[in-house]
Amino acid sequence: MARILQGKEVRDALALALRQKVSKLEEKPTLAIFQVGDRADSTAYIKQKKTFGENIGARVIHRHYPESVTQAELLKDIGNDNEDGNIHGIIIQMPLPEHLHKEELIEAVYPKKDVDGLTATNTKRLYDNKPGLVPATARGILMLLDHYNISVEGKRVTIIGRSNLVGKPTALALLNRNATILIAHSKTPDLKTVCKRADILIAALGKPEFITKDFVSAGQVIIDVGINSVAGEKFDEEIPTKRKIVGDVNFKEVEPIVAAISPVPGGVGPMTVASLFENLLEAYQKKG
Ligand SMILES: NC(=O)c1ccc[n+]([C@@H]2O[C@H](COP(=O)([O-])OP(=O)(O)OC[C@H]3O[C@@H](n4cnc5c(N)ncnc54)[C@H](OP(=O)(O)O)[C@@H]3O)[C@@H](O)[C@H]2O)c1
């Protein structure tokens, strides 16, 4: 039986600590979230952030635009929030519609308010192992491992996925903790062997339950980053096909083999939200 890395429980403990810290501050730490369009998944993520933020006593401003918004309008509003001393963090909810220039919008955010840790300045700080705002998912994974006293120093860590949002920053954050990193991706040959050899396997490929028992070995720690919405069972004709959230790991198959595993939902997801607000508090403390 594997140890279950309960991100939800760790998140709740972090929320308590954050609430105490926030209650002692002069102003409410404030996060502005820019959303363009009405993607249901983005709206759900924003709702989670709002709920968590309000729960710890922070303020979350949802700036919601129609798909037709222009790059110039967004740049102007990001610029205003950059200059507003009452706003301490700014994030741009991804993905954005095709007509917008994502990189330019990310770079428009002042690095000190970039609580998603995606600007070139914060990326370079992570690259150089200097203090800065680390992307929330990477930070959340570190905090989850720390909570369960799972040291990464010297360990072989395989990360499947090389996105700027998850795979690369997670690799750098763990490298900075002296892990030995292997980044796998869609062109990696013999992925099963690569995965089996790791001490810690981090799955961030966005493929529902892709990691089966054939990818893992005894004693491993498995971190499942994936959030995939898949069709559930149809119960009868009255009820439309239900959708459920699964990870990148086939939990049922993998859990009996490995030493520890984070579930989906309830693992990395809640840690990511908590980490975002850890970043917001950091940004608040360094304001000015
Ligand atoms: N839990 C959280 O808080 C959280 C936060 C963010 C994202 N997520 C989830 O994490 C997953 C990854 O997100 P992302 O934004 O990094 O996705 P992404 O940008 O689509 O990147 C996926 C990565 O996985 C690799 N990949 C895809 N299929 C593969 C395969 N069959 N074998 C090996 N590698 C493969 C891709 O390789 P190539 O580069 O070669 O194409 C790419 O590097 C998604 O399910 C997403 O919803 C969760």
Side-chain angles (χ1 to χ4, degrees):
M1 281 285 273
R3 192 171 184 196
I4 309 299
L5 309 177
Q6 304 280 11
K8 223 171 162 177
E9 287 177 13
V10 185
R11 185 265 325 263
D12 290 345
L14 287 168
L16 206 65
L18 280 168
R19 200 181 312 146
Q20 278 167 0
K21 282 187 198 163
V22 170
S23 69
K24 292 182 187 129
L25 301 176
E26 275 173 30
E27 307 159 50
K28 274 183 181 230
T30 299
L31 172 68
I33 304 179
F34 284 70
Q35 181 186 17
V36 179
D38 290 296
R39 278 182 64 118
D41 54 350
S42 293
T43 303
Y45 293 139
I46 291 168
K47 196 172 160 216
Q48 279 177 3
K49 290 166 191 171
K50 272 193 103 159
T51 306
F52 186 89
E54 281 157 13
N55 178 26
I56 64 158
R59 196 158 64 102
V60 177
I61 301 169
H62 183 187
R63 302 210 185 285
H64 195 179
Y65 300 85
E67 291 256 351
S68 58
V69 68
T70 64
Q71 183 85 2
E73 284 171 289
L74 288 169
L75 285 171
K76 184 169 154 283
D77 289 356
I78 292 169
N80 288 340
D81 283 354
N82 275 335
E83 297 304 330
D84 186 339
N86 295 315
I87 290 176
H88 310 100
I90 300 170
I91 63 176
I92 298 152
Q93 188 67 43
M94 301 292 168
L96 290 168
E98 295 264 306
H99 72 277
L100 295 169
H101 191 307
K102 176 176 103 175
E103 281 77 20
E104 188 186 30
L105 294 172
I106 289 171
E107 281 309 312
V109 176
Y110 280 172
K112 67 177 181 182
K113 298 194 178 189
D114 166 33
V115 288
D116 259 346
L118 295 175
T119 57
T121 301
N122 281 314
T123 305
K124 177 74 163 59
R125 286 180 187 149
L126 183 61
Y127 187 94
D128 289 340
N129 196 9
K130 298 243 168 74
L133 293 162
V134 174
T137 306
R139 187 172 180 167
I141 292 170
L142 288 184
M143 292 201 307
L144 188 63
L145 292 168
D146 287 346
H147 178 85
Y148 287 97
N149 292 318
I150 299 168
S151 162
V152 299
E153 180 150 329
K155 300 271 174 64
R156 283 168 304 193
V157 180
T158 293
I159 300 166
I160 317 172
R162 55 176 165 179
S163 69
N164 288 348
L165 190 65
V166 184
K168 284 182 196 159
T170 303
L172 282 170
L174 289 163
L175 183 64
N176 291 343
R177 294 268 193 105
N178 299 320
T180 303
I181 305 295
L182 194 153
I183 306 177
H185 46 76
S186 66
K187 306 290 185 292
T188 301
D190 199 7
L191 187 64
K192 286 182 183 165
T193 306
V194 165
C195 290
K196 276 185 166 183
R197 284 191 188 141
D199 299 309
I200 300 173
L201 175 62
I202 301 179
L205 63 159
K207 295 271 182 300
E209 301 186 321
F210 185 91
I211 303 300
T212 57
K213 60 180 174 14
D214 303 332
F215 287 76
V216 301
S217 52
Q220 285 185 319
V221 173
I222 311 290
I223 303 293
D224 189 353
V225 184
I227 301 178
N228 308 292
S229 158
V230 296
E233 289 169 54
K234 247 187 181 171
F235 293 108
D236 66 41
E237 291 186 357
E238 300 282 307
I239 305 168
T241 307
K242 281 189 164 185
R243 297 193 74 76
K244 62 173 181 171
I245 298 296
V246 298
D248 288 345
V249 177
N250 186 320
F251 187 91
K252 238 188 194 164
E253 278 191 26
V254 167
E255 185 271 337
I257 301 170
V258 301
I261 182 167
S262 69
V264 176
V268 175
M271 293 303 298
T272 299
V273 179
S275 301
L276 176 67
F277 285 88
E278 293 276 350
N279 278 350
L280 180 68
L281 225 71
E282 236 173 80
Y284 176 94
Q285 276 148 358
K286 288 188 187 140
K287 73 189 156 89

